[in-house]
Amino acid sequence: MRTPLSLFLLLSLLLFLSSCAVVLSWKKEEFRNCNQTPFCKRARSRKPGSSPFLAADVSISDGDLVAKLVPREPDPDQEDQEPPARPLALTLSAYRDGVMRVKIDEDYPSQESPHKRRFQVPDVIVSEFESKKLWLQRVSTERVGGDEGVSSIVYLSDEYEGVVRHDPFEVYVRERSSGDRVLSMNSHGLFDFEQLREKKEGEDWEERFRSHTDTRPYGPQSISFDVSFYGADFVYGIPERAASLALKPTRGPGIDHSEPYRLFNLDVFEYLHDSPFGLYGAIPFMISHGKARGTSGFFWLNAAEMQIDVLGEGWDADSGISLPSSQKRVDTFWMSEAGIVDAFFFIGPGPKDVVKQYVGVTGNPAMPQLFATAYHQCRWNYRDEEDVENVDAKFDEHDIPYDVLWLDIEHTDGKRYFTWDKVLFPHPEEMQRKLAAKGRHMVTIVDPHIKRDESYHIHKEASKNGYYVKDASGNDFEGWCWPGSSSYIDMLSPEIRSWWADKFSFENYVGSTPSLYIWNDMNEPSVFNGPELTMPRDALHYGGVEHRELHNANGYYFHMATSDGLLKRGNGNDRPFVLSRAFFPGSQRYGAVWTGDNTAEWDQLRVSVPMILTLGLTGLSFSGADVGGFFGNPEPELLVRWYQLGAYYPFFRAHAHQDTKRREPWLFGERNTELMRDAIRTRYMLLPFFYTLFREANVTGVPVVRPLWMEFPFDEATFDKDEAFMVGNSLLVQGIFTERAKHVSVYLPGKESWYDLRTGTTYLGSKTHKLEAPEDHVPAFQRAGTIIPRRDRFRRSTTQTVNDPYTLVIALNSSQTAEGELYIDDGKSFEFKHGAYIHRRFVFKGGKLTSLNMAPATSGNLPFKSECIIERIIILGHAGGPKNALIEPGNLKAQVEFGPLLLQGRSSSGVLTIRKPGIRIADDWTIKVL
């Protein structure tokens, strides 16, 4: 029998070794590939046309098309065949705004009570979506394309129909006028559905990987099928991975030894760039785009591990299956370990239409507080209260604005979350109040692993109430993470989520204040001694759900419960800010995400752009990458370039590992401090523009930063570009991704011109320009025909800018017109939902600038007032030489002169400027340029 001391030493050694595995570089052998994942290996081995199902008993019931998917009779001439499977139940539903939903599950006879039902993911689809259902009244039949059998046709909209082909089974969307396909499932006959069944005598269902064994008590239960996107040139989406925006083929002629794109939330450290390997989050939503047809999307609501192949041209050359040859298409193959088919077909036809359709199902992005859209300073870890105070003071000393200071795990009492280290942080409330006095905020980390310590109140309550995830034997699951031996809260249960949310009250989270917000890390969940550093798949959740069935949604429920906690804490009046590493469809409703543990390398700076663009396309508009790289020590040039690009990320945060050198912006010499300060100030200057875009995302789902093709959907040169991006519809930003770059090539799309954001220099559209790569900025351009709002006065934080005046920058196009918007609210509460906001639309046409009210005039709306004025109006590209401006109402004159485009850094000194027009931002007015 071991002594307590020897046991302690052994446990300490195990924890040390486990921790070492986390901080060393990525080890390929610790993670499974497709050949080591039985369901993926089985699915990939299937041949086109092997699907055994045909559709029967098609009818309309409760406004849906319903059918049975019946297996064909076995071939009597073929031996050793599996007995025919039970029928499956298919439901096809139509919804407004161009959405078709297809569900396929096992058909459970009413007299049977199965010992296990397949898991359907709850609390993702928003309630408003069901109100958009179109109640189908009839189904028609026809023979399509020379088929011997019939297909069933239902109405989706005036332009589109849903088609269920009976034999062989297939479902697709087509245009009513032309009959052209948009999206299809099982066109290649790859649909397979492993049904739950009794275990046969002598059958081994266990799966082994390295030293771990998955008991798999319910046996194989995977699902796979093919999906085709017609008229597509490229497909995008299905985050998260460090790879190109346009998804590269993973199977087909000339593609050897490639892995599918994996969707399985994992704690991956120092991840590789240009890899299909899955990272921290999973969104099984793919978007296609092409010049011929436009844009469409496909979303599979399933939280189990998923593997997806993008099939290269010619992959099916020997299949004998004939599809419409007149339509270009991209074929894909989707595989999941468990769950049901719950698939959504998004018809588009434009890029923004598809994104709107997706968030119509999973929810619109939350509207962040204004402070959260500014600059965040983070490190693992700021040592103590003195360190926090010194860092805060240094920002002021160097005249660098920031809004949020972050504390990582070392601020706690022994990795017990909701606590403070009494030696290092003895006065947490006073520390937060000092920051709040300057308009600043603090974020602390709260992870999902709970230290197993009987003196720790969270553990005692969770253990007593049965709130932990169970192991396969029904006992509280124990794994290793930062605190050592840990258990994990079962967030699938609404009751447990409510209990967790209560922990964020000021009474329960002692030392917290209203200016403190939360960071959820490690919520994949990360388990250092688990298979692939995560929870075993046979662990059990609320309702007997296996972890394999909900793994990818685990972090989502944790994010949800934490956000609800901050909502409760503020009595429903304070917008939560919660950053989460793991994510799933619907995460956009609860806060921000970031791209995880990147590295201080130029390639990682480069890949941050397609990673963030992909997150935006799939609903997660509020995202960013750790500026400077989490691991490693960036050279000053890389750090500066990262700040210059990161200033345009939706979520702008610098962060670093505890083993790296300190890298606050003032530690690299006076010139580099100046460059980083200018980059951060650029973000603060553009915050009115960013905040307006966050409101657009909140209303429509259209992301803050966008691929070029989202704004230029017919420009084929943009379809696979991911080194540059749009901020809204107005700015194009091109990163610089190589060391000591002297020049950079920038493609500027569209027929209109572009204006350099700093100098006002004009560049032609539809052309690649080779430009100098100066050290003081990355190339950024304002699109002709747009108006951007700015605030040019620099303060310590956003709170101090509330009463500052605005600048409007008008970039005229060839027709001498431009337009833009500005959205303002109180920056923190939910009063905007009751009409307490200002929304202005600015239109320049015929030499006149007009401010129009975009807020609906609804009775009962709360008023929101602002006395802020416009102090400068800058006009780029004006054809004449005006000398005066006439303001109405009031018949007032304002002087027109030539002035600087920017009030900082290198700038043109000769742009047309209306100075001090003295007009209020909230009012209706016109300015005629004379």
Side-chain angles (χ1 to χ4, degrees):
M1 182 176 180
R2 293 187 180 95
T3 65
L5 177 60
S6 64
L7 180 60
F8 172 80
L9 292 173
L10 175 61
L11 293 176
S12 299
L13 177 61
L14 287 172
L15 178 57
F16 172 76
L17 293 174
S18 300
S19 300
C20 286
V22 175
V23 298
L24 296 176
S25 59
W26 184 70
K27 295 181 179 180
K28 182 178 180 180
E29 66 273 10
E30 290 188 351
F31 302 98
R32 303 202 301 185
N33 59 35
C34 181
N35 280 335
Q36 295 168 318
T37 307
F39 83 86
C40 183
K41 186 177 181 179
R42 289 195 303 274
R44 262 189 158 190
S45 70
R46 296 188 183 104
K47 303 298 182 184
S50 62
S51 178
F53 293 100
L54 55 88
D57 300 333
V58 180
S59 64
I60 298 293
S61 175
D62 291 330
D64 300 318
L65 180 150
V66 296
K68 303 292 187 187
L69 298 185
V70 182
R72 288 191 181 86
E73 290 298 322
D75 186 343
D77 298 326
Q78 191 171 345
E79 297 181 356
D80 299 327
Q81 295 184 82
E82 288 287 333
R86 299 187 304 274
L88 302 174
L90 176 143
T91 305
L92 184 152
S93 308
Y95 296 83
R96 293 197 304 271
D97 305 326
V99 180
M100 184 176 81
R101 182 181 188 182
V102 173
K103 295 184 73 172
I104 303 174
D105 195 359
E106 300 198 33
D107 188 24
Y108 303 107
S110 57
Q111 68 272 20
E112 290 187 19
S113 178
H115 68 291
K116 168 74 174 175
R117 284 187 178 269
R118 301 179 79 103
F119 180 62
Q120 300 189 36
V121 186
D123 303 314
V124 170
I125 300 174
V126 293
S127 58
E128 298 88 341
F129 175 67
E130 285 302 330
S131 69
K132 298 178 182 179
K133 180 178 174 179
L134 301 175
W135 284 72
L136 301 177
Q137 302 296 318
R138 58 185 293 269
V139 57
S140 61
T141 58
E142 65 177 74
R143 284 182 168 81
V144 179
D147 279 357
E148 292 183 6
V150 299
S151 295
S152 296
I153 319 295
V154 294
Y155 172 92
L156 298 180
S157 71
D158 291 343
E159 293 82 24
Y160 299 99
E161 294 172 321
V163 181
V164 176
R165 186 185 185 192
H166 293 198
D167 187 8
F169 164 65
E170 180 188 12
V171 60
Y172 59 91
V173 175
R174 71 180 185 186
E175 294 180 357
R176 296 186 71 186
S177 57
S178 66
D180 286 349
R181 296 181 175 209
V182 178
L183 284 164
S184 69
M185 174 194 286
N186 202 39
S187 298
H188 294 275
L190 288 170
F191 173 62
D192 188 77
F193 197 111
E194 295 180 329
Q195 298 187 33
L196 298 172
R197 58 181 175 81
E198 296 295 330
K199 189 175 183 179
K200 299 176 183 177
E201 185 176 352
E203 195 172 10
D204 182 9
W205 280 351
E206 290 185 347
E207 290 182 1
R208 298 160 189 84
F209 178 69
R210 294 169 67 87
S211 62
H212 302 280
T213 299
D214 176 4
T215 60
R216 289 211 314 165
Y218 301 105
Q221 50 186 296
S222 70
I223 303 171
S224 55
F225 51 78
D226 56 277
V227 175
S228 295
F229 300 84
Y230 295 83
D233 294 313
F234 295 97
V235 289
Y236 316 85
I238 58 170
E240 184 180 32
R241 65 200 36 79
S244 59
L245 176 66
L247 296 170
K248 299 174 183 177
T250 57
R251 284 173 64 191
I255 303 169
D256 298 322
H257 310 299
S258 178
E259 286 292 305
Y261 293 101
R262 189 183 190 195
L263 296 182
F264 189 64
N265 295 2
L266 290 169
D267 179 0
V268 184
F269 34 91
E270 294 191 81
Y271 52 77
L272 302 178
H273 72 279
D274 197 22
S275 169
F277 190 81
L279 299 178
Y280 311 96
I283 298 185
F285 170 38
M286 186 178 284
I287 300 174
S288 79
H289 183 70
K291 188 174 183 179
R293 196 264 153 197
T295 316
S296 62
F298 180 83
F299 165 46
W300 185 5
L301 177 54
N302 188 318
E305 178 181 357
M306 204 175 289
Q307 306 261 6
I308 301 172
D309 273 317
V310 175
L311 303 169
E313 190 171 350
W315 75 276
D316 59 341
D318 300 326
S319 69
I321 294 174
S322 177
L323 289 175
S325 58
S326 61
Q327 289 186 264
K328 185 176 182 179
R329 71 177 192 274
V330 175
D331 297 326
T332 60
F333 183 46
W334 299 60
M335 305 162 270
S336 180
E337 184 181 12
I340 68 165
V341 176
D342 192 358
F344 297 79
F345 296 66
F346 301 122
I347 299 171
K352 296 178 183 178
D353 297 321
V354 170
V355 173
K356 291 175 184 177
Q357 288 157 2
Y358 170 74
V359 300
V361 174
T362 62
N364 286 18
M367 184 65 191
Q369 292 200 38
L370 178 61
F371 83 82
T373 68
Y375 175 62
H376 301 245
Q377 183 67 37
C378 185
R379 180 175 178 82
W380 178 20
N381 202 84
Y382 287 116
R383 294 184 300 268
D384 51 28
E385 290 178 1
E386 183 181 5
D387 196 11
V388 167
E389 189 169 355
N390 287 339
V391 170
D392 178 66
K394 282 289 186 181
F395 271 97
D396 293 339
E397 178 184 331
H398 292 278
D399 205 17
I400 302 172
Y402 89 101
D403 266 69
V404 193
L405 196 68
W406 293 54
L407 296 180
D408 211 315
I409 55 178
E410 310 303 334
H411 83 277
T412 63
D413 177 14
K415 314 299 189 299
R416 299 171 183 87
Y417 303 108
F418 303 100
T419 69
W420 304 84
D421 186 302
K422 293 181 174 57
V423 175
L424 302 178
F425 296 91
H427 308 104
E429 294 180 55
E430 182 182 349
M431 174 180 63
Q432 294 163 59
R433 290 192 189 102
K434 287 180 180 178
L435 294 176
K438 299 178 180 180
R440 291 170 176 154
H441 299 76
M442 177 165 274
V443 167
T444 54
I445 196 165
V446 177
D447 286 349
H449 45 261
I450 303 301
K451 185 181 179 95
R452 293 189 62 84
D453 177 351
E454 291 303 321
S455 67
Y456 179 28
H457 67 285
I458 299 290
H459 169 65
K460 286 177 66 176
E461 286 185 47
S463 181
K464 176 183 176 182
N465 295 324
Y467 286 170
Y468 284 137
V469 176
K470 311 303 180 194
D471 63 22
S473 301
N475 301 312
D476 287 350
F477 171 74
E478 294 185 38
W480 284 84
C481 208
W482 298 125
S485 180
S486 305
S487 288
Y488 296 74
I489 305 296
D490 184 1
M491 293 296 182
L492 180 60
S493 163
E495 174 192 330
I496 298 173
R497 290 201 300 267
S498 179
W499 168 82
W500 179 260
D502 289 338
K503 300 306 169 191
F504 292 92
S505 70
F506 299 124
E507 295 78 15
N508 288 328
Y509 191 174
V510 176
S512 65
T513 71
S515 63
L516 181 74
Y517 294 88
I518 301 299
W519 173 17
N520 290 161
D521 196 5
M522 315 295 284
N523 54 336
E524 294 77 26
S526 178
V527 181
F528 293 166
N529 62 336
E532 300 188 276
L533 302 179
T534 190
M535 186 173 285
R537 297 168 192 243
D538 55 5
L540 295 173
H541 291 259
Y542 170 74
V545 176
E546 284 193 289
H547 187 72
R548 81 181 74 253
E549 300 175 278
L550 65 74
H551 172 80
N552 285 342
N554 185 85
Y556 165 73
Y557 294 120
F558 190 70
H559 196 186
M560 176 196 298
T562 302
S563 177
D564 287 348
L566 294 188
L567 198 61
K568 279 186 177 182
R569 183 189 76 174
N571 297 316
N573 298 319
D574 188 55
R575 298 178 216 167
F577 173 77
V578 183
L579 179 74
S580 175
R581 189 169 72 176
F583 55 80
F584 190 68
S587 290
Q588 68 269 14
R589 307 201 303 266
Y590 300 108
V593 300
W594 91 106
T595 62
D597 296 348
N598 59 358
T599 308
E601 298 173 354
W602 288 94
D603 285 338
Q604 294 272 316
L605 170 62
R606 170 69 179 83
V607 83
S608 72
V609 175
M611 291 181 78
I612 291 168
L613 290 175
T614 300
L615 290 169
L617 282 175
T618 54
L620 290 166
S621 189
F622 200 4
S623 66
D626 285 344
V627 170
F630 178 64
F631 288 105
N633 296 301
E635 293 299 317
E637 182 189 4
L638 173 59
L639 186 60
V640 166
R641 289 301 190 201
W642 215 317
Y643 268 97
Q644 291 169 347
L645 185 70
Y648 298 97
Y649 292 163
F651 176 57
F652 183 23
R653 181 185 76 155
H655 185 34
H657 190 277
Q658 64 177 349
D659 292 339
T660 64
K661 298 175 183 177
R662 294 290 287 255
R663 61 166 85 145
E664 286 76 24
W666 50 85
L667 295 176
F668 298 86
E670 185 175 343
R671 178 56 177 159
N672 289 316
T673 298
E674 179 183 2
L675 294 173
M676 286 183 269
R677 176 172 55 238
D678 286 351
I680 295 170
R681 283 182 167 183
T682 296
R683 173 53 165 253
Y684 278 77
M685 177 183 72
L686 293 172
L687 277 179
F689 176 56
F690 270 89
Y691 197 66
T692 300
L693 293 174
F694 274 106
R695 175 57 171 168
E696 180 183 0
N698 171 245
V699 173
T700 68
V702 176
V704 172
V705 299
R706 307 163 187 177
L708 302 188
W709 55 263
M710 180 168 271
E711 291 298 330
F712 300 91
F714 302 106
D715 188 340
E716 292 178 87
T718 67
F719 291 179
D720 62 348
K721 286 195 176 298
D722 59 11
E723 73 279 5
F725 57 90
M726 296 293 297
V727 183
N729 70 342
S730 305
L731 289 185
L732 185 148
V733 179
Q734 167 71 54
I736 294 176
F737 306 113
T738 55
E739 190 175 5
R740 294 188 291 276
K742 300 299 181 185
H743 296 89
V744 59
S745 293
V746 184
Y747 177 72
L748 298 176
K751 297 179 181 180
E752 295 288 348
S753 296
W754 296 78
Y755 298 89
D756 186 286
L757 193 65
R758 300 173 72 89
T759 67
T761 304
T762 306
Y763 293 90
L764 295 176
S766 298
K767 185 177 178 181
T768 298
H769 300 266
K770 185 178 180 180
L771 307 175
E772 290 185 359
E775 67 171 359
D776 60 347
H777 68 280
V778 295
F781 305 87
Q782 184 172 348
R783 182 182 182 180
T786 65
I787 300 174
I788 287 179
R790 299 187 333 209
R791 267 182 162 151
D792 291 347
R793 300 185 184 183
F794 299 110
R795 308 292 190 186
R796 290 176 172 179
S797 66
T798 56
T799 308
Q800 299 180 351
T801 67
V802 170
N803 297 314
D804 284 350
Y806 290 85
T807 294
L808 298 181
V809 181
I810 303 172
L812 297 177
N813 60 19
S814 57
S815 301
Q816 295 286 282
T817 63
E819 60 183 56
E821 296 182 12
L822 173 64
Y823 174 84
I824 311 169
D825 59 25
D826 66 14
K828 56 187 179 182
S829 78
F830 288 98
E831 298 300 327
F832 72 93
K833 290 190 172 184
H834 307 288
Y837 61 85
I838 294 168
H839 188 185
R840 308 301 300 185
R841 182 165 178 257
F842 305 111
V843 178
F844 190 97
K845 187 177 182 180
K848 183 170 65 175
L849 175 65
T850 303
S851 176
L852 304 168
N853 182 21
M854 296 286 287
T858 306
S859 61
N861 278 357
L862 293 173
F864 177 75
K865 297 180 179 179
S866 173
E867 299 299 322
C868 293
I869 63 169
I870 295 176
E871 66 175 348
R872 290 200 306 156
I873 299 173
I874 295 170
I875 306 176
L876 302 174
H878 197 280
K883 297 182 180 179
N884 292 291
L886 182 65
I887 303 170
E888 297 289 355
N891 196 29
L892 304 173
K893 287 188 176 181
Q895 187 176 359
V896 177
E897 59 185 42
F898 288 92
L901 178 54
L902 298 179
L903 300 182
Q904 61 156 346
R906 192 179 73 170
S907 174
S908 168
S909 59
V911 295
L912 197 66
T913 305
I914 303 173
R915 289 190 68 247
K916 297 183 178 180
I919 45 181
R920 293 199 324 156
I921 200 70
D923 292 344
D924 293 342
W925 42 260
T926 61
I927 300 179
K928 180 73 174 178
V929 180
L930 305 173

